[in-house]
Amino acid sequence: MADAVLVVETRVPNPFIPAVSRARGLAFRTTDTNWSRSSERALEVVGTAESIISVLAGRHHAIPGLTGSGVATLTSRL
């Protein structure tokens, strides 16, 4: 189920939750599912599916659950 949410959050534009624009140009990899989204030469964000979903939805509390070279970029987009 979390994988499906991540696919929608990173691919389907939503005017109320701009997760697509937050995810643009970044690669993502979950540590608790097999889901990943790569982008050529992209900075990577790694974490649980819940943490990635939460941050893409604009929830700052989940940032500490993320690691990788793309966390600062993603954080700046919130």
Side-chain angles (χ1 to χ4, degrees):
M1 177 77 146
D3 291 357
V5 172
L6 286 163
V7 168
V8 171
E9 273 198 332
T10 58
R11 294 188 183 163
V12 179
N14 179 337
F16 302 105
I17 302 173
V20 171
S21 61
R22 290 179 180 138
R24 187 168 291 119
L26 295 172
F28 294 88
R29 182 170 43 91
T30 61
T31 56
D32 58 341
T33 74
N34 290 324
W35 183 84
S36 66
R37 175 184 177 264
S38 62
S39 184
E40 190 175 324
R41 292 180 275 153
L43 299 174
E44 185 178 55
V45 177
V46 179
T48 64
E50 180 181 0
S51 293
I52 293 172
I53 290 167
S54 294
V55 173
L56 287 173
R59 297 182 180 102
H60 295 261
H61 75 275
I63 293 169
L66 302 177
T67 60
S69 58
V71 173
T73 300
L74 180 57
T75 301
S76 73
R77 295 176 181 177
L78 297 180

